[in-house]
Amino acid sequence: MLIEFSAPALPTTGTLILPIGQDKVFGPAAEEADRLSGGAVRRALAASRFTGKKDETLELLAPTGLALARLLLVGLGKPEALTAESFETLAGNASAYITRTGETEAVLALGLPAGCRLSPATAGAAAGLGAALRSYRFDRYRTTETAEQKPSLARLIIQVTEPEAAAAAFAALEPVLAGVTLTRDLVSEPANQLTPIVFAERCRALAALGLEVTVLDEAAMRALNMGALLGVAQGSANPPRLVSLLWRGDPEATDQRPLALVGKGVTFDSGGISIKGAGGMEDMKWDMAGAGTVAGVMRLLAGRKARVNVVGVLGLVENMPSGTAQRPGDVVTSASGKTIEIINTDAEGRLVLADALWYAEETFKPQQIIDLATLTGAILIALGSEYAGLFTTCDTLAERLTAAGKAVAEPVWRMPLSDLLDKDLASDIADMKNTGSGRNGGSIIGAMFVKRFVGDVPWAHLDIAGMVWSKKDTGTVPKGGTGYGVRLLDRFISDTYEGQASSKVCS
Ligand code: BES
Ligand code: MN
Ligand code: ZN
């Protein structure tokens, strides 16, 4: 969808999206539309329950006195409560509505009500981003769609009082769009298409943006004794890869150690020999979303030439049952030297992270580590799809990640670590088992396992299993791969490492 900015000028044809403030507060465009239509807008309001509350909509077709085909009134809510996210959501929902009508063009007359704290440029750019994010579609495998089934809206013109400034602010958000889009594309790909090798190749293409890309193949990982990751991979015909994406955006930093982002990239999780049930197993194509998110964040940082040093490490494997697959009862030796008794081959993400975290720490000596993983089904039981689970040894990391999540509407909720549950990982034969003895506290046990592979570096673990795939459309996110986490980490990074706040997170 093409997004353009222009100065307010009431269109006389086509589709007009008109925001209305809480308690039927009209901006200049709404007043003009009402006047030109001989009061049709106010009459329509009187005939409905629409009062301008956030998320309310009211559609007027062919209003008298105007040559407009369609007028879509959308509620703005209270002006003091308006944030960038409000405009993202408003434009996302309105454009999604219009795109189902057959209209190819629409004007959003974005007059800001008195009391709104945002500048017209910020609000306009946010609206553009929201519409662009919502218009995402993964349609590369559709071949028979008719024109009626395709989204119709091709051009959205956002009218604001500062159109040049809004266009510039929107252009500055292009890397955000590119990062989220990359993550959604990766998460949406089926596992026969996105094998670890293909995923690594897509990462290699990011070198064009100035990222230093390294790809370890199976032999290289064997040389580093990555028995935990390789044990997961050994049942699959698709060999594993370990990718690192290094962004050196701040060569003058006093502390040259990067922030490390480590992602679980299980391109398909069948469960292995501890095979999953058939129902919903197709969802496990998105078990690589942790790695997909890290790739998207690195794409974003490089795209906006962030003044930070960050490395992304992606553990890419497929978990399959076969004659060569690892068995329950097997003992593997991780790169750290710690041995693991495999109790359940479906608890594979933590095994991948064990070696990826060790590699990140050994190779890049990071100042902080954040890992992202669709690690446990239990996090869905605990937090649903409202929050990602955050586990961390560092209160400052917890505060900063929580604040960043709030700011971009990608919330996290801090969960506890537990030494008592950690004891449940004790094995009779090896240094640890890969699962606890029961189902209770599953996400905490997963986090405790991962923690065993992190040294003295401040660390946070995000269990994003509930967040990366959506079964329904919402404001800026069409159903499917959400791209969750990309904007969260970008905001965390800009606030922590590029802002006023000291980058000393914990020691
Ligand atoms: N990839 C799954 C977790 C998952 C489940 C993600 C549902 C998204 C939706 C993970 O590898 C897994 O299978 N975890 C097991 C752990 C158990 C065997 C200790 C789980 O959650 O059941
Ligand atoms: Mn699993
Ligand atoms: Zn998994």
Side-chain angles (χ1 to χ4, degrees):
M1 191 197 310
L2 213 63
I3 289 165
E4 289 163 17
F5 296 87
S6 69
L10 203 71
T12 48
T13 57
T15 283
L16 174 62
I17 306 163
L18 213 47
I20 304 284
Q22 179 118 332
D23 301 324
K24 308 186 185 180
V25 173
F26 280 33
E31 284 297 354
E32 198 181 346
D34 191 49
R35 190 172 50 77
L36 292 175
S37 65
V41 178
R42 283 206 162 83
R43 278 203 307 283
L45 289 194
S48 78
R49 285 181 166 169
F50 183 100
T51 59
K53 283 203 201 77
K54 193 170 164 355
D55 298 335
E56 279 181 344
T57 57
L58 182 65
E59 187 182 29
L60 282 75
L61 291 177
T64 39
L66 288 166
L68 284 175
R70 168 182 277 105
L71 189 54
L72 182 67
L73 306 178
V74 292
L76 268 177
K78 295 200 186 87
E80 325 75 78
L82 287 168
T83 60
E85 196 230 331
S86 322
F87 289 99
E88 288 177 17
T89 306
L90 177 136
N93 283 333
S95 60
Y97 187 95
I98 307 269
T99 213
R100 289 190 294 266
T101 65
E103 286 285 354
T104 55
E105 231 181 87
V107 172
L108 168 59
L110 205 60
L112 299 189
C116 170
R117 282 188 285 262
L118 298 180
S119 72
T122 307
L129 179 64
L133 284 170
R134 180 65 179 272
S135 74
Y136 174 83
R137 274 192 111 213
F138 186 76
D139 52 10
R140 57 188 301 195
Y141 302 114
R142 292 179 188 273
T143 66
T144 57
E145 218 174 27
T146 62
E148 279 77 54
Q149 294 167 319
K150 284 196 170 51
S152 62
L153 190 62
R155 185 161 168 245
L156 178 68
I157 300 151
I158 300 173
Q159 294 185 344
V160 278
T161 50
E162 300 167 1
E164 288 84 16
F170 178 65
L173 294 174
E174 187 280 330
V176 175
L177 200 57
V180 173
T181 299
L182 172 63
T183 301
R184 288 178 178 175
D185 282 345
L186 291 167
V187 167
S188 305
E189 280 290 359
N192 63 332
Q193 302 291 335
L194 193 79
T195 61
I197 287 180
V198 173
F199 197 148
E201 285 314 313
R202 294 221 188 160
C203 289
R204 236 193 258 278
L206 297 176
L209 293 162
L211 286 159
E212 293 169 38
V213 186
T214 320
V215 180
L216 300 192
D217 64 10
E218 218 173 337
M221 284 187 267
R222 199 165 304 285
L224 293 169
N225 302 312
M226 295 191 172
L229 187 154
L230 290 170
V232 176
Q234 79 188 30
S236 171
N238 292 307
R241 292 291 184 266
L242 188 75
V243 174
S244 49
L245 301 164
L246 179 61
W247 173 248
R248 278 189 201 282
D250 192 3
E252 267 116 58
T254 32
D255 190 345
Q256 273 298 303
R257 298 173 305 163
L259 162 71
L261 305 175
V262 179
K264 165 180 171 181
V266 175
T267 57
F268 189 72
D269 180 13
S270 68
I273 294 297
S274 315
I275 197 164
K276 290 179 181 295
M281 202 202 272
E282 67 278 10
D283 280 351
M284 286 300 109
K285 72 170 183 180
W286 47 259
D287 207 22
M288 37 52 70
T293 307
V294 173
V297 176
M298 299 312 297
R299 165 78 183 76
L300 201 177
L301 295 175
R304 70 174 178 81
K305 307 221 176 305
R307 273 186 68 99
V308 285
N309 300 317
V310 181
V311 65
V313 173
L314 289 64
L316 307 175
V317 302
E318 186 177 48
N319 187 23
M320 295 292 269
S322 75
T324 62
Q326 100 178 326
R327 293 147 287 248
D330 284 3
V331 173
V332 296
T333 304
S334 66
S336 70
K338 296 188 176 92
T339 58
I340 305 160
E341 180 188 9
I342 308 299
I343 299 299
N344 189 322
T345 64
D346 197 10
E348 86 297 339
R350 58 199 73 183
L351 299 168
V352 174
L353 286 179
D355 282 341
L357 283 163
W358 173 88
Y359 178 79
E361 208 170 314
E362 280 303 302
T363 315
F364 300 100
K365 310 280 183 233
Q367 38 176 313
Q368 280 97 36
I369 304 186
I370 301 174
D371 77 72
L372 293 98
T374 48
L375 202 70
T376 65
I379 203 69
L380 272 138
I381 308 292
L383 301 176
S385 293
E386 295 304 304
Y387 298 93
L390 164 65
F391 300 81
T392 179
T393 46
C394 166
D395 291 345
T396 323
L397 267 180
E399 279 161 28
R400 298 258 170 95
L401 284 165
T402 304
K406 270 207 187 107
V408 299
E410 293 187 349
V412 304
W413 192 264
R414 189 173 186 182
M415 300 281 287
L417 293 161
S418 161
D419 289 329
L420 203 63
L421 284 173
D422 182 78
K423 290 198 189 8
D424 210 18
L425 291 168
S427 162
D428 290 336
I429 180 176
D431 297 340
M432 69 194 86
K433 301 183 295 186
N434 77 329
T435 64
S437 46
R439 277 162 20 100
N440 297 347
S443 301
I444 305 176
I445 292 184
M448 293 314 294
F449 182 97
V450 172
K451 182 173 180 283
R452 288 171 175 239
F453 295 88
V454 180
D456 280 337
V457 187
W459 157 79
H461 159 63
L462 287 167
D463 193 335
I464 58 175
M467 308 305 289
V468 298
W469 191 264
S470 175
K471 290 201 160 73
K472 57 178 201 304
D473 296 335
T474 58
T476 56
V477 184
K479 70 178 177 197
T482 62
Y484 174 90
V486 174
R487 299 180 69 190
L488 161 71
L489 287 169
D490 178 55
R491 177 59 76 97
F492 164 79
I493 288 166
S494 61
D495 285 355
T496 304
Y497 301 93
E498 298 170 282
Q500 302 305 315
S502 145
S503 72
K504 265 266 157 273
V505 172
C506 287
S507 43

